[in-house]
Amino acid sequence: MTGRWKGTYTCGQGLTGFNLDIADVGGGAVSAVLGFGPIESNPGVPNGRYSMTGRLDPRSLTLLPKAWIEKPSGYVMVGLAAELPGQDPDVLSGTVTSPACTTFRVTR
């Protein structure tokens, strides 16, 4: 699961592009940086980035927001949750853990 992932998620602002850089910190703990921004079909989304902490086990990945690195006005940090393993080890999909959001999908 470690490394760079790229894809989209859906929240109140609509479909949003994002990168997710996941690093193993040992003992099942992971850290991540989520960077988001516009995509062709939704060019009004600003750029933003924040750090995350989480847990990785054989069945799931859970990432919780930690601290803003680049905060656009009016945006809040969201968490991510995914069930593992999926059909394809290079695809990660799950739920964005915020009431205004739905799902995410990233590939590496």
Side-chain angles (χ1 to χ4, degrees):
M1 292 287 101
T2 60
R4 173 159 277 205
W5 297 81
K6 184 176 181 174
T8 57
Y9 68 90
T10 303
C11 280
Q13 71 274 11
L15 192 63
T16 301
F18 81 108
N19 293 320
L20 186 63
D21 293 305
I22 303 173
D24 183 356
V25 295
V30 293
S31 66
V33 173
L34 186 152
F36 62 88
I39 59 171
E40 188 175 331
S41 65
N42 194 4
V45 175
N47 290 309
R49 287 188 320 139
Y50 56 91
S51 62
M52 305 180 85
T53 60
R55 301 285 309 162
L56 175 63
D57 65 45
R59 299 178 128 183
S60 65
L61 170 67
T62 304
L63 293 169
L64 301 173
K66 183 177 177 185
W68 282 104
I69 298 167
E70 178 185 355
K71 182 183 187 307
S73 178
Y75 277 71
V76 298
M77 296 181 288
V78 297
L80 303 173
E83 295 297 316
L84 305 175
Q87 298 274 15
D88 182 341
D90 292 325
V91 175
L92 181 62
S93 61
T95 304
V96 181
T97 56
S98 173
C101 303
T102 58
T103 59
F104 75 92
R105 183 180 188 277
V106 288
T107 59
R108 59 178 165 176

Coordinates of all heavy atoms in Angstrom, one line a residue:
M1 N 0.8 -1.2 0.0 CA 0.0 0.0 0.0 C 0.8 1.3 0.0 O 0.3 2.3 -0.3 CB -0.9 0.0 1.2 CG -2.0 -1.0 1.2 SD -3.3 -0.7 0.1 CE -2.9 -1.7 -1.3
T2 N 2.1 1.2 0.4 CA 2.9 2.3 0.4 C 3.2 2.8 -1.0 O 3.2 2.1 -2.0 CB 4.2 2.1 1.2 OG1 5.0 1.1 0.5 CG2 4.0 1.7 2.6
G3 N 3.6 4.1 -1.1 CA 3.9 4.7 -2.4 C 2.9 5.8 -2.8 O 2.0 6.2 -2.0
R4 N 2.9 6.2 -4.0 CA 2.1 7.3 -4.5 C 0.9 6.7 -5.3 O 1.0 5.8 -6.1 CB 2.8 8.2 -5.5 CG 1.8 9.2 -6.2 CD 2.5 10.3 -6.7 NE 2.7 11.3 -5.6 CZ 2.8 12.6 -5.8 NH1 2.8 13.1 -7.0 NH2 3.0 13.4 -4.8
W5 N -0.3 7.2 -4.9 CA -1.6 6.8 -5.5 C -2.2 8.1 -6.1 O -2.0 9.1 -5.5 CB -2.5 6.2 -4.4 CG -2.0 5.0 -3.8 CD1 -1.1 4.9 -2.8 CD2 -2.4 3.6 -4.1 NE1 -0.8 3.5 -2.5 CE2 -1.6 2.8 -3.3 CE3 -3.3 3.1 -5.1 CZ2 -1.8 1.4 -3.3 CZ3 -3.4 1.7 -5.1 CH2 -2.6 0.9 -4.3
K6 N -2.9 7.9 -7.2 CA -3.6 9.1 -7.8 C -5.0 8.7 -8.3 O -5.2 7.6 -8.8 CB -2.7 9.5 -9.0 CG -3.2 10.7 -9.7 CD -2.3 11.2 -10.8 CE -2.9 12.4 -11.5 NZ -2.0 13.0 -12.4
G7 N -5.9 9.6 -8.0 CA -7.3 9.3 -8.5 C -8.2 10.5 -8.2 O -7.9 11.6 -8.2
T8 N -9.5 10.1 -7.8 CA -10.5 11.1 -7.6 C -11.3 10.7 -6.3 O -11.4 9.5 -6.0 CB -11.5 11.2 -8.8 OG1 -12.0 10.0 -9.0 CG2 -10.8 11.8 -10.0
Y9 N -12.0 11.7 -5.7 CA -13.0 11.5 -4.7 C -14.1 12.4 -4.9 O -14.0 13.4 -5.6 CB -12.4 11.6 -3.3 CG -12.0 13.0 -2.9 CD1 -12.9 13.8 -2.2 CD2 -10.7 13.4 -3.1 CE1 -12.5 15.1 -1.8 CE2 -10.3 14.7 -2.6 CZ -11.2 15.5 -2.0 OH -10.8 16.7 -1.6
T10 N -15.3 12.1 -4.3 CA -16.4 13.0 -4.4 C -16.8 13.5 -3.1 O -17.1 12.8 -2.1 CB -17.6 12.2 -5.1 OG1 -17.2 11.6 -6.3 CG2 -18.8 13.1 -5.3
C11 N -16.9 14.9 -3.0 CA -17.4 15.6 -1.8 C -18.3 16.7 -2.3 O -18.7 16.7 -3.5 CB -16.3 16.1 -1.0 SG -15.5 14.9 0.0
G12 N -18.7 17.6 -1.4 CA -19.6 18.6 -1.7 C -19.2 19.5 -2.9 O -20.1 20.0 -3.6
Q13 N -17.9 19.7 -3.1 CA -17.5 20.5 -4.3 C -17.6 19.7 -5.6 O -17.2 20.3 -6.6 CB -16.1 21.0 -4.0 CG -15.0 20.0 -4.1 CD -14.7 19.2 -2.8 OE1 -15.5 19.3 -1.8 NE2 -13.7 18.4 -2.7
G14 N -17.9 18.4 -5.5 CA -18.0 17.6 -6.7 C -16.8 16.7 -6.9 O -16.0 16.6 -5.9
L15 N -16.6 16.1 -8.0 CA -15.5 15.2 -8.3 C -14.2 16.0 -8.2 O -14.1 17.1 -8.8 CB -15.7 14.6 -9.7 CG -14.7 13.4 -10.0 CD1 -15.0 12.2 -9.0 CD2 -14.9 13.0 -11.4
T16 N -13.3 15.5 -7.4 CA -12.0 16.2 -7.1 C -10.8 15.3 -7.4 O -10.9 14.1 -7.0 CB -12.0 16.7 -5.7 OG1 -13.2 17.5 -5.5 CG2 -10.8 17.4 -5.3
G17 N -9.8 15.8 -8.0 CA -8.6 15.0 -8.2 C -7.7 15.0 -6.9 O -7.7 16.0 -6.2
F18 N -7.0 13.9 -6.7 CA -6.1 13.9 -5.5 C -5.0 12.9 -5.7 O -5.1 11.9 -6.4 CB -6.9 13.7 -4.2 CG -7.3 12.3 -3.8 CD1 -6.6 11.6 -2.8 CD2 -8.3 11.6 -4.4 CE1 -7.0 10.4 -2.4 CE2 -8.7 10.4 -4.1 CZ -8.0 9.7 -3.0
N19 N -3.9 13.2 -5.0 CA -2.8 12.3 -4.8 C -2.7 11.9 -3.4 O -2.9 12.7 -2.5 CB -1.4 13.0 -5.2 CG -1.4 13.3 -6.7 OD1 -1.8 12.6 -7.5 ND2 -0.9 14.5 -7.0
L20 N -2.3 10.6 -3.2 CA -2.1 10.1 -1.8 C -0.8 9.4 -1.7 O -0.5 8.5 -2.4 CB -3.3 9.1 -1.5 CG -3.4 8.6 -0.1 CD1 -3.7 9.7 0.9 CD2 -4.4 7.5 0.0
D21 N 0.1 10.0 -0.9 CA 1.4 9.4 -0.7 C 1.4 8.7 0.7 O 1.3 9.4 1.7 CB 2.5 10.5 -0.7 CG 2.7 11.1 -2.1 OD1 2.9 10.3 -3.0 OD2 2.5 12.3 -2.2
I22 N 1.5 7.4 0.7 CA 1.5 6.6 1.9 C 2.8 6.0 2.3 O 3.5 5.5 1.4 CB 0.5 5.4 1.8 CG1 -0.9 5.9 1.4 CG2 0.4 4.6 3.0 CD1 -1.9 4.8 1.0
A23 N 3.2 6.2 3.5 CA 4.5 5.7 4.0 C 4.3 4.8 5.2 O 3.4 5.1 6.1 CB 5.4 6.8 4.4
D24 N 5.0 3.7 5.3 CA 4.9 2.7 6.4 C 5.8 3.3 7.6 O 7.0 3.6 7.4 CB 5.4 1.4 6.0 CG 5.3 0.3 7.1 OD1 4.9 0.6 8.2 OD2 5.7 -0.9 6.7
V25 N 5.2 3.4 8.8 CA 6.0 3.9 9.9 C 6.2 2.8 10.9 O 6.7 3.0 12.0 CB 5.4 5.2 10.6 CG1 5.5 6.3 9.6 CG2 4.0 5.0 11.0
G26 N 5.8 1.5 10.6 CA 6.1 0.4 11.4 C 4.9 0.0 12.3 O 4.1 0.8 12.7
G27 N 4.8 -1.3 12.6 CA 3.8 -1.9 13.5 C 2.4 -1.7 13.0 O 1.5 -1.6 13.8
G28 N 2.2 -1.6 11.7 CA 0.9 -1.4 11.2 C 0.5 0.0 11.0 O -0.6 0.4 10.5
A29 N 1.3 1.0 11.6 CA 1.0 2.4 11.5 C 1.5 2.9 10.1 O 2.5 2.5 9.6 CB 1.6 3.2 12.6
V30 N 0.7 3.9 9.6 CA 1.1 4.5 8.3 C 1.0 6.0 8.5 O 0.2 6.5 9.3 CB 0.3 4.0 7.1 CG1 0.6 2.6 6.8 CG2 -1.2 4.2 7.3
S31 N 1.7 6.8 7.7 CA 1.5 8.2 7.6 C 1.2 8.5 6.1 O 1.6 7.7 5.2 CB 2.7 9.0 8.1 OG 3.8 8.8 7.2
A32 N 0.5 9.6 5.8 CA 0.2 9.9 4.4 C 0.1 11.4 4.3 O -0.1 12.2 5.2 CB -1.1 9.2 4.0
V33 N 0.2 11.8 3.0 CA -0.1 13.2 2.6 C -1.1 13.2 1.5 O -0.9 12.5 0.5 CB 1.2 14.0 2.2 CG1 0.8 15.4 1.6 CG2 2.2 14.1 3.4
L34 N -2.2 13.8 1.7 CA -3.2 13.9 0.7 C -3.2 15.3 0.1 O -3.3 16.3 0.8 CB -4.6 13.6 1.3 CG -5.8 13.5 0.4 CD1 -6.9 12.6 1.0 CD2 -6.4 14.9 0.0
G35 N -3.0 15.3 -1.2 CA -3.1 16.6 -2.0 C -4.2 16.6 -3.0 O -4.4 15.6 -3.7
F36 N -5.0 17.6 -3.0 CA -6.2 17.6 -3.9 C -6.2 18.9 -4.7 O -5.5 19.8 -4.4 CB -7.5 17.5 -3.1 CG -7.8 18.6 -2.1 CD1 -8.4 19.8 -2.5 CD2 -7.4 18.6 -0.8 CE1 -8.7 20.8 -1.6 CE2 -7.6 19.6 0.1 CZ -8.3 20.7 -0.3
G37 N -7.0 18.8 -5.8 CA -7.1 19.9 -6.7 C -8.1 19.7 -7.8 O -8.8 18.7 -7.8
P38 N -8.1 20.6 -8.8 CA -9.0 20.6 -9.9 C -8.8 19.4 -10.9 O -7.6 18.9 -10.9 CB -8.8 21.9 -10.6 CG -7.4 22.3 -10.3 CD -7.1 21.7 -8.9
I39 N -9.8 19.0 -11.5 CA -9.7 18.1 -12.7 C -10.4 18.8 -13.8 O -11.1 19.8 -13.6 CB -10.3 16.7 -12.4 CG1 -11.8 16.8 -12.0 CG2 -9.5 16.0 -11.3 CD1 -12.5 15.5 -11.8
E40 N -10.3 18.2 -15.0 CA -10.9 18.9 -16.2 C -12.4 19.1 -16.1 O -12.9 20.2 -16.5 CB -10.6 18.0 -17.4 CG -11.0 18.7 -18.7 CD -10.6 17.8 -20.0 OE1 -9.6 17.1 -19.9 OE2 -11.3 18.0 -21.0
S41 N -13.1 18.2 -15.5 CA -14.5 18.3 -15.4 C -15.0 19.2 -14.2 O -16.2 19.5 -14.1 CB -15.2 16.9 -15.3 OG -14.8 16.3 -14.1
N42 N -14.0 19.6 -13.4 CA -14.4 20.4 -12.2 C -13.2 21.4 -11.9 O -12.5 21.2 -10.9 CB -14.7 19.5 -11.0 CG -15.3 20.3 -9.9 OD1 -15.6 21.5 -10.0 ND2 -15.5 19.6 -8.7
P43 N -13.0 22.3 -12.8 CA -11.8 23.2 -12.7 C -11.8 24.2 -11.6 O -10.7 24.8 -11.3 CB -11.7 23.9 -14.1 CG -13.2 23.9 -14.5 CD -13.8 22.7 -14.0
G44 N -12.9 24.4 -10.9 CA -13.0 25.4 -9.8 C -12.5 24.9 -8.5 O -12.4 25.7 -7.5
V45 N -12.0 23.7 -8.3 CA -11.5 23.2 -7.1 C -10.1 23.8 -6.8 O -9.3 23.6 -7.7 CB -11.5 21.6 -7.0 CG1 -10.9 21.1 -5.8 CG2 -12.9 21.1 -7.2
P46 N -9.9 24.4 -5.6 CA -8.6 24.9 -5.3 C -7.6 23.7 -4.9 O -8.0 22.6 -4.6 CB -8.8 25.8 -4.1 CG -10.0 25.2 -3.4 CD -10.8 24.6 -4.5
N47 N -6.3 24.0 -4.9 CA -5.3 23.1 -4.5 C -5.3 23.1 -2.9 O -5.4 24.2 -2.3 CB -4.0 23.4 -5.1 CG -3.9 23.1 -6.5 OD1 -4.3 22.0 -7.0 ND2 -3.4 24.1 -7.3
G48 N -5.0 22.0 -2.3 CA -4.8 21.9 -0.9 C -4.1 20.6 -0.6 O -4.0 19.7 -1.4
R49 N -3.4 20.6 0.6 CA -2.7 19.4 1.1 C -2.8 19.3 2.6 O -2.7 20.4 3.3 CB -1.2 19.5 0.7 CG -1.0 19.3 -0.8 CD 0.5 19.1 -1.1 NE 1.4 20.1 -0.4 CZ 2.6 19.7 0.1 NH1 3.1 18.5 -0.1 NH2 3.3 20.6 0.7
Y50 N -2.8 18.1 3.1 CA -2.7 17.9 4.5 C -2.1 16.5 4.9 O -2.1 15.6 4.0 CB -4.1 18.1 5.2 CG -5.2 17.2 4.7 CD1 -5.5 16.0 5.3 CD2 -6.1 17.7 3.7 CE1 -6.6 15.2 4.8 CE2 -7.1 16.9 3.3 CZ -7.4 15.7 3.8 OH -8.4 14.9 3.4
S51 N -1.6 16.4 6.1 CA -1.0 15.2 6.5 C -2.1 14.3 7.2 O -3.1 14.8 7.7 CB 0.1 15.4 7.5 OG -0.3 16.1 8.6
M52 N -1.8 13.0 7.2 CA -2.7 12.0 7.8 C -2.0 11.0 8.5 O -0.8 10.7 8.3 CB -3.5 11.3 6.7 CG -4.3 12.3 5.7 SD -5.2 11.4 4.4 CE -6.7 11.1 5.3
T53 N -2.6 10.3 9.5 CA -2.1 9.2 10.2 C -3.1 8.1 10.0 O -4.3 8.3 9.8 CB -1.9 9.5 11.7 OG1 -3.1 9.8 12.3 CG2 -0.9 10.6 11.9
G54 N -2.6 6.8 10.2 CA -3.6 5.7 10.0 C -3.0 4.4 10.4 O -1.9 4.2 10.9
R55 N -3.8 3.4 10.1 CA -3.5 2.0 10.4 C -3.8 1.2 9.1 O -4.7 1.4 8.4 CB -4.5 1.4 11.4 CG -4.4 2.1 12.8 CD -3.2 1.8 13.6 NE -2.9 0.4 13.8 CZ -1.7 -0.1 14.2 NH1 -0.8 0.8 14.4 NH2 -1.5 -1.4 14.3
L56 N -2.9 0.2 8.9 CA -3.0 -0.7 7.8 C -2.9 -2.1 8.4 O -2.0 -2.4 9.1 CB -1.8 -0.5 6.8 CG -1.7 -1.5 5.6 CD1 -2.9 -1.4 4.7 CD2 -0.4 -1.2 4.8
D57 N -3.9 -2.9 8.1 CA -3.9 -4.3 8.5 C -4.3 -5.2 7.3 O -4.6 -4.6 6.2 CB -4.8 -4.6 9.7 CG -6.2 -4.4 9.5 OD1 -6.8 -4.8 8.5 OD2 -6.9 -3.7 10.4
P58 N -4.2 -6.5 7.4 CA -4.5 -7.3 6.2 C -5.9 -7.1 5.6 O -6.2 -7.4 4.5 CB -4.4 -8.7 6.7 CG -3.4 -8.6 7.8 CD -3.8 -7.3 8.5
R59 N -6.9 -6.5 6.4 CA -8.2 -6.4 5.9 C -8.6 -4.9 5.6 O -9.7 -4.7 4.9 CB -9.2 -6.9 6.9 CG -9.0 -8.4 7.2 CD -9.9 -8.8 8.2 NE -10.6 -10.0 7.8 CZ -11.5 -10.6 8.4 NH1 -11.9 -10.2 9.6 NH2 -12.1 -11.7 7.9
S60 N -7.9 -3.9 6.1 CA -8.4 -2.6 5.9 C -7.3 -1.5 6.0 O -6.2 -1.8 6.6 CB -9.5 -2.2 6.9 OG -9.0 -2.2 8.2
L61 N -7.5 -0.4 5.5 CA -6.7 0.8 5.6 C -7.6 1.9 6.1 O -8.7 2.2 5.5 CB -6.1 1.2 4.2 CG -5.4 2.6 4.2 CD1 -4.1 2.5 5.0 CD2 -5.1 3.0 2.8
T62 N -7.2 2.6 7.2 CA -7.9 3.7 7.7 C -7.0 4.9 7.9 O -5.9 4.7 8.5 CB -8.5 3.4 9.1 OG1 -9.3 2.2 9.0 CG2 -9.3 4.5 9.7
L63 N -7.3 6.0 7.3 CA -6.5 7.2 7.4 C -7.3 8.4 8.0 O -8.4 8.6 7.5 CB -6.0 7.6 6.0 CG -5.0 6.7 5.3 CD1 -4.8 7.1 3.8 CD2 -3.7 6.7 6.1
L64 N -6.8 9.0 9.0 CA -7.4 10.1 9.6 C -6.6 11.4 9.4 O -5.4 11.4 9.4 CB -7.5 9.9 11.1 CG -8.2 8.6 11.6 CD1 -8.1 8.4 13.0 CD2 -9.7 8.7 11.1
P65 N -7.3 12.5 9.2 CA -6.6 13.8 9.0 C -5.9 14.2 10.2 O -6.3 14.0 11.3 CB -7.8 14.8 8.7 CG -9.0 14.1 9.0 CD -8.8 12.7 9.2
K66 N -4.7 14.9 10.0 CA -3.8 15.3 11.1 C -3.6 16.8 11.1 O -4.0 17.5 12.0 CB -2.5 14.6 11.0 CG -1.6 14.9 12.1 CD -0.3 14.1 12.0 CE 0.7 14.5 13.1 NZ 2.0 13.8 12.9
A67 N -3.0 17.4 10.0 CA -2.7 18.8 10.0 C -2.6 19.3 8.6 O -2.1 18.7 7.7 CB -1.4 19.1 10.7
W68 N -3.1 20.6 8.4 CA -3.0 21.2 7.1 C -1.6 21.5 6.7 O -0.8 22.0 7.6 CB -3.8 22.5 7.0 CG -5.3 22.3 6.9 CD1 -6.3 22.4 7.9 CD2 -6.0 21.9 5.7 NE1 -7.5 22.1 7.3 CE2 -7.4 21.8 6.0 CE3 -5.6 21.7 4.4 CZ2 -8.3 21.5 5.1 CZ3 -6.6 21.4 3.4 CH2 -7.9 21.3 3.8
I69 N -1.2 21.4 5.5 CA 0.0 21.8 4.9 C -0.3 23.1 4.0 O 0.4 24.0 4.0 CB 0.7 20.7 4.1 CG1 1.0 19.5 5.0 CG2 1.9 21.2 3.3 CD1 1.4 18.3 4.2
E70 N -1.4 23.0 3.3 CA -1.8 24.1 2.4 C -3.4 24.1 2.5 O -4.0 23.2 1.9 CB -1.4 23.8 1.0 CG -1.8 24.8 -0.1 CD -1.4 24.5 -1.5 OE1 -0.7 23.5 -1.7 OE2 -1.9 25.2 -2.4
K71 N -4.0 25.0 3.2 CA -5.4 25.0 3.4 C -6.1 26.1 2.6 O -5.9 27.3 2.8 CB -5.7 25.3 4.9 CG -7.2 25.3 5.2 CD -7.5 25.6 6.6 CE -8.9 25.4 7.0 NZ -9.9 26.0 6.2
P72 N -7.0 25.6 1.6 CA -7.8 26.6 0.9 C -9.0 27.1 1.8 O -9.5 26.3 2.6 CB -8.3 25.8 -0.3 CG -8.2 24.4 0.0 CD -7.1 24.3 1.1
S73 N -9.4 28.3 1.6 CA -10.5 28.8 2.4 C -11.8 28.0 2.2 O -12.2 27.6 1.1 CB -10.8 30.3 2.0 OG -11.8 30.8 2.7
G74 N -12.4 27.7 3.4 CA -13.7 27.0 3.3 C -13.7 25.5 3.2 O -14.7 24.8 3.2
Y75 N -12.5 24.9 3.2 CA -12.3 23.4 3.1 C -12.0 22.8 4.4 O -11.4 23.4 5.3 CB -11.2 23.1 2.1 CG -11.8 23.1 0.6 CD1 -12.1 24.3 0.0 CD2 -12.0 22.0 -0.1 CE1 -12.6 24.4 -1.3 CE2 -12.5 22.0 -1.4 CZ -12.8 23.2 -1.9 OH -13.3 23.2 -3.2
V76 N -12.4 21.6 4.6 CA -12.1 20.8 5.8 C -11.4 19.5 5.4 O -11.6 19.0 4.3 CB -13.4 20.4 6.6 CG1 -14.1 21.7 7.1 CG2 -14.4 19.6 5.8
M77 N -10.6 19.0 6.3 CA -9.9 17.7 6.0 C -10.9 16.6 6.2 O -11.8 16.6 7.0 CB -8.8 17.6 7.0 CG -7.7 18.6 6.9 SD -6.3 18.4 8.1 CE -7.1 18.8 9.6
V78 N -10.7 15.5 5.4 CA -11.5 14.3 5.5 C -10.6 13.1 5.7 O -9.5 13.1 5.3 CB -12.4 14.2 4.3 CG1 -13.4 15.3 4.1 CG2 -11.6 14.0 3.0
G79 N -11.2 12.0 6.2 CA -10.5 10.8 6.3 C -10.9 9.8 5.2 O -11.8 10.1 4.4
L80 N -10.2 8.7 5.1 CA -10.4 7.7 4.1 C -10.5 6.3 4.8 O -9.7 6.0 5.7 CB -9.3 7.7 3.1 CG -9.0 9.0 2.3 CD1 -7.8 8.8 1.4 CD2 -10.2 9.4 1.5
A81 N -11.3 5.4 4.3 CA -11.4 4.0 4.8 C -11.6 3.1 3.6 O -12.4 3.4 2.7 CB -12.5 3.9 5.7
A82 N -10.8 2.0 3.5 CA -10.9 1.1 2.4 C -10.8 -0.3 3.0 O -10.0 -0.6 3.9 CB -9.8 1.3 1.4
E83 N -11.5 -1.3 2.4 CA -11.4 -2.7 2.7 C -10.3 -3.3 1.8 O -10.2 -2.9 0.6 CB -12.7 -3.4 2.4 CG -13.8 -3.0 3.4 CD -13.6 -3.2 4.8 OE1 -13.1 -4.3 5.1 OE2 -13.8 -2.3 5.7
L84 N -9.5 -4.2 2.4 CA -8.4 -4.8 1.6 C -8.6 -6.3 1.7 O -9.2 -6.8 2.7 CB -7.1 -4.4 2.2 CG -6.7 -2.9 2.3 CD1 -5.4 -2.7 3.0 CD2 -6.7 -2.3 1.0
P85 N -8.1 -7.1 0.9 CA -7.5 -6.7 -0.4 C -8.6 -6.6 -1.5 O -9.6 -7.2 -1.4 CB -6.6 -7.8 -0.8 CG -7.2 -9.0 -0.2 CD -7.9 -8.5 1.1
G86 N -8.4 -5.7 -2.4 CA -9.3 -5.6 -3.5 C -9.0 -6.6 -4.6 O -8.1 -7.4 -4.5
Q87 N -9.7 -6.5 -5.7 CA -9.5 -7.3 -6.9 C -8.1 -7.1 -7.5 O -7.5 -8.0 -8.0 CB -10.6 -7.1 -7.9 CG -12.0 -7.4 -7.4 CD -12.3 -8.9 -7.6 OE1 -11.4 -9.8 -7.8 NE2 -13.6 -9.3 -7.4
D88 N -7.7 -5.9 -7.5 CA -6.5 -5.5 -8.2 C -5.6 -4.7 -7.1 O -6.0 -3.7 -6.6 CB -6.8 -4.5 -9.3 CG -5.6 -4.1 -10.1 OD1 -4.5 -4.2 -9.6 OD2 -5.8 -3.6 -11.3
P89 N -4.3 -5.2 -6.9 CA -3.5 -4.6 -5.9 C -3.0 -3.2 -6.2 O -2.5 -2.5 -5.4 CB -2.3 -5.5 -5.8 CG -2.3 -6.3 -7.1 CD -3.7 -6.4 -7.5
D90 N -3.2 -2.8 -7.5 CA -2.9 -1.4 -7.9 C -4.1 -0.5 -7.9 O -4.0 0.6 -8.5 CB -2.2 -1.4 -9.3 CG -0.8 -2.1 -9.2 OD1 -0.1 -2.0 -8.2 OD2 -0.5 -2.8 -10.2
V91 N -5.2 -0.9 -7.4 CA -6.4 -0.1 -7.2 C -6.8 -0.1 -5.8 O -6.9 -1.1 -5.2 CB -7.5 -0.6 -8.1 CG1 -8.8 0.2 -7.9 CG2 -7.1 -0.5 -9.6
L92 N -7.1 1.1 -5.3 CA -7.6 1.2 -3.9 C -8.8 2.1 -3.9 O -8.8 3.2 -4.5 CB -6.5 1.9 -3.0 CG -6.8 2.1 -1.6 CD1 -7.0 0.8 -0.8 CD2 -5.7 2.9 -0.9
S93 N -9.9 1.6 -3.4 CA -11.2 2.3 -3.4 C -11.9 2.1 -2.0 O -11.7 1.1 -1.4 CB -12.1 1.9 -4.5 OG -12.4 0.6 -4.4
G94 N -12.7 3.1 -1.7 CA -13.4 3.1 -0.4 C -14.2 4.3 -0.2 O -14.7 4.9 -1.1
T95 N -14.4 4.6 1.1 CA -15.3 5.7 1.5 C -14.5 6.9 2.0 O -13.5 6.7 2.8 CB -16.2 5.1 2.7 OG1 -16.9 4.0 2.2 CG2 -17.2 6.2 3.1
V96 N -15.0 8.1 1.7 CA -14.5 9.3 2.3 C -15.3 9.5 3.5 O -16.5 9.6 3.4 CB -14.6 10.5 1.3 CG1 -14.0 11.7 1.9 CG2 -13.9 10.1 0.0
T97 N -14.6 9.6 4.7 CA -15.4 9.6 6.0 C -15.7 11.0 6.4 O -15.2 11.6 7.3 CB -14.5 8.9 7.1 OG1 -13.3 9.6 7.1 CG2 -14.3 7.4 6.7
S98 N -16.7 11.6 5.7 CA -17.3 12.9 6.0 C -18.7 12.9 5.5 O -19.0 12.3 4.4 CB -16.5 14.0 5.3 OG -17.2 15.2 5.5
P99 N -19.7 13.5 6.2 CA -21.1 13.5 5.8 C -21.3 14.1 4.4 O -22.2 13.7 3.7 CB -21.8 14.3 6.9 CG -20.9 14.3 8.0 CD -19.5 14.1 7.5
A100 N -20.5 15.0 4.0 CA -20.7 15.7 2.7 C -20.0 14.9 1.5 O -20.0 15.4 0.4 CB -20.1 17.1 2.7
C101 N -19.4 13.7 1.8 CA -18.6 13.0 0.8 C -19.2 11.6 0.6 O -20.0 11.1 1.4 CB -17.2 12.9 1.3 SG -16.4 14.5 1.6
T102 N -18.7 11.0 -0.5 CA -19.1 9.6 -0.8 C -17.9 8.7 -0.9 O -17.5 8.1 0.1 CB -20.0 9.5 -2.0 OG1 -19.3 10.1 -3.2 CG2 -21.3 10.3 -1.9
T103 N -17.3 8.5 -2.1 CA -16.3 7.5 -2.3 C -15.0 8.1 -2.9 O -15.0 9.2 -3.4 CB -16.9 6.4 -3.3 OG1 -17.2 7.0 -4.5 CG2 -18.1 5.7 -2.7
F104 N -14.0 7.2 -2.9 CA -12.7 7.6 -3.6 C -12.2 6.4 -4.3 O -12.6 5.2 -4.0 CB -11.7 8.1 -2.6 CG -11.0 7.0 -1.8 CD1 -9.9 6.4 -2.2 CD2 -11.6 6.6 -0.6 CE1 -9.3 5.4 -1.4 CE2 -11.0 5.6 0.2 CZ -9.9 5.0 -0.2
R105 N -11.4 6.6 -5.3 CA -10.7 5.6 -6.1 C -9.4 6.1 -6.5 O -9.3 7.2 -7.2 CB -11.5 5.1 -7.3 CG -10.9 4.0 -8.1 CD -11.8 3.6 -9.3 NE -11.3 2.4 -9.9 CZ -10.3 2.3 -10.8 NH1 -9.7 3.4 -11.1 NH2 -10.0 1.1 -11.3
V106 N -8.3 5.4 -6.2 CA -6.9 5.7 -6.6 C -6.2 4.5 -7.2 O -6.6 3.4 -6.9 CB -6.1 6.3 -5.5 CG1 -6.6 7.7 -5.1 CG2 -6.1 5.4 -4.3
T107 N -5.3 4.8 -8.1 CA -4.4 3.8 -8.7 C -3.0 4.1 -8.5 O -2.6 5.3 -8.3 CB -4.7 3.6 -10.2 OG1 -4.5 4.8 -10.9 CG2 -6.2 3.1 -10.4
R108 N -2.1 3.2 -8.7 CA -0.7 3.5 -8.6 C 0.0 2.9 -9.8 O -0.5 2.2 -10.6 CB 0.0 3.0 -7.4 CG -0.1 1.5 -7.1 CD 0.7 1.1 -5.9 NE 0.3 -0.2 -5.5 CZ 0.8 -0.8 -4.5 NH1 1.7 -0.3 -3.8 NH2 0.4 -2.1 -4.1

